[in-house]
Amino acid sequence: MNSQPIHLHVISASVRPTSAARPVARWVADRAREHGAFEVTAVDLGDLALPFLDEPEYASSGIYTHPHTREWSALVDSADAFLLVLPMYNGGFTAPFKNAIDFLYREWQGKPAGLVSYSAGGSGGAPAGRMLRPVLRAVGMVPAESSVAVPGITDLISPDGFLAPQGLAGELTAVLDEVAALAKAPVGA
Ligand SMILES: Cc1cc2nc3c(=O)[nH]c(=O)nc-3n(C[C@H](O)[C@H](O)[C@H](O)COP(=O)(O)O)c2cc1C
């Protein structure tokens, strides 16, 4: 059995300066650290400040001309798996995250991804997660079957951070368990 830690990147997939993704992602990263299977890196798309895709060659060529693409490539390359923390905007996931995905190709391939969505309304952003899954598969990621959806996000953000509803930690553990199992599964199994 492989006892090496899995390098998990927790990606905050929203760039608004007051984004709820930051406190939610901090809480998610703390739970992932407690889980025990992961070495966790927090990735904030807002800090990354990628421009709209501006590479002359397709990402699948791996030919990158800009330092921001090379840095993003190295960061994603260093991950074994991802936990994606995403809001729902008008029924879908965020445009900045789609842009960040499109910048790369090989770097995503074969890597599991767990989804934590949230929204102001009652769906918890689950439709955004459903929309994202085929995009993840298109670049070769392996989305976990289980996911977490957090409704009513506006009432759950305080100056102290994310006020996780009861039971959420258990739901997240199920996603983390699945991501860990997928990351340890032999390729093609
Ligand atoms: C452009 C935009 C569209 C939104 N669309 C929805 C929506 O369709 N359903 C919903 O429940 N909440 C919607 N919201 C509310 C967000 O879910 C909530 O404000 C959340 O905190 C936004 O994520 P962020 O803080 O990471 O930007 C929308 C918010 C924004 C900014």
Side-chain angles (χ1 to χ4, degrees):
M1 186 175 149
N2 182 6
S3 59
Q4 294 293 312
I6 297 159
H7 294 97
L8 180 79
H9 284 20
V10 176
I11 301 183
S12 169
S14 164
V15 301
R16 282 196 321 123
T18 54
S19 171
R22 291 191 178 92
V24 176
R26 270 197 296 276
W27 180 84
V28 166
D30 286 346
R31 301 293 77 72
R33 287 188 186 99
E34 287 168 5
H35 181 276
F38 304 103
E39 192 170 294
V40 176
T41 300
V43 177
D44 186 326
L45 278 197
D47 292 345
L48 214 62
L50 283 169
F52 277 129
L53 179 57
D54 58 353
E55 285 292 342
E57 303 293 337
Y58 286 175
S60 54
S61 73
I63 300 167
Y64 304 137
T65 62
H66 298 297
H68 53 253
T69 315
R70 291 196 199 103
E71 282 162 24
W72 180 223
S73 165
L75 189 56
V76 173
D77 229 3
S78 67
D80 301 316
F82 307 96
L83 233 290
L84 308 174
V85 178
L86 60 138
M88 181 165 78
Y89 285 178
N90 299 316
F93 59 91
T94 67
F97 188 45
K98 179 66 163 60
N99 182 56
I101 292 170
D102 294 341
F103 256 98
L104 307 176
Y105 188 67
R106 177 196 54 77
E107 296 85 342
W108 300 115
Q109 295 203 328
K111 297 181 182 176
L115 273 57
V116 176
S117 65
Y118 60 87
S119 71
S123 73
R130 283 197 289 276
M131 188 185 273
L132 180 59
R133 282 166 190 275
V135 175
L136 302 181
R137 290 195 192 96
V139 292
M141 270 189 265
V142 184
E145 290 288 329
S146 53
S147 60
V148 172
V150 184
I153 192 68
T154 352
D155 296 330
L156 301 175
I157 302 299
S158 84
D160 294 330
F162 175 51
L163 308 166
Q166 211 177 2
L168 201 72
E171 289 178 38
L172 181 60
T173 299
V175 177
L176 291 166
D177 286 347
E178 189 182 345
V179 168
L182 287 167
K184 286 177 180 166
V187 175

